[in-house]
Amino acid sequence: MFKNTKAFSGFSVNDINKAKEFYSNTLGLDVEEVMNGNVLQLNIHGGGNIMIYQKDNHTPATFTILNFPVENIEEAVDGLTARGIRFLQYNEPIKTDEKGICRRSGGPLIAWFEDPAGNILSVLQSEEK
């Protein structure tokens, strides 16, 4: 039934203007206002779109809602830190280093951070460099 549909995902934030500033200026994504500026559309390289909408009783996701693959996680973390991003620190069941990078999860090198609404995002490097 959905084999040929172009699906997309979306998530909520508590302040659409802060979200626009963060996703366009801090992260450098192509952000488009749609539905009379009530919804943001992230135009992701490769053709994907993600919708962001304001929800007055927004509760941040407790899981990673958006992952950004990068070639070099050290450069990505350093660059985002320079833009004011603070990376999350975890001790159990996974552990992150002083930069916020998890190096021993059995998966890719990954570091998590939050958007202004408290939703969790990540940068990840699939192959160790």
Side-chain angles (χ1 to χ4, degrees):
M1 176 169 25
F2 298 120
K3 182 177 182 180
N4 296 317
T5 189
K6 189 174 180 183
F8 63 92
S9 68
F11 58 89
S12 69
V13 296
N14 57 355
D15 186 320
I16 202 78
N17 294 317
K18 283 184 182 177
K20 182 179 180 188
E21 170 73 22
F22 178 79
Y23 285 95
S24 63
N25 295 335
T26 304
L27 297 186
L29 295 173
D30 177 14
V31 178
E32 182 179 347
E33 291 184 11
V34 297
M35 299 179 145
N36 296 319
N38 295 319
V39 175
L40 299 177
Q41 178 175 290
L42 302 181
N43 299 313
I44 303 300
H45 178 73
N49 297 324
I50 299 166
M51 306 307 281
I52 301 175
Y53 56 94
Q54 183 163 320
K55 184 177 175 188
D56 293 334
N57 62 347
H58 165 77
T59 301
T62 58
F63 52 87
T64 308
I65 62 161
L66 194 53
N67 298 285
F68 296 99
V70 296
E71 288 184 24
N72 185 310
I73 197 162
E74 297 283 344
E75 288 178 7
V77 167
D78 290 347
L80 289 170
T81 299
R83 291 176 175 227
I85 300 292
R86 294 188 184 272
F87 284 85
L88 301 175
Q89 295 290 319
Y90 295 109
N91 286 315
E92 295 291 329
I94 55 172
K95 178 143 179 69
T96 53
D97 65 15
E98 65 282 347
K99 284 186 165 186
I101 301 171
C102 178
R103 299 178 188 277
R104 296 191 175 149
S105 66
L109 298 178
I110 186 167
W112 295 271
F113 60 101
E114 294 177 344
D115 73 2
N119 294 311
I120 301 171
L121 315 173
S122 84
V123 290
L124 59 98
Q125 175 182 304
S126 58
E127 294 182 21
E128 183 125 12
K129 295 227 174 204

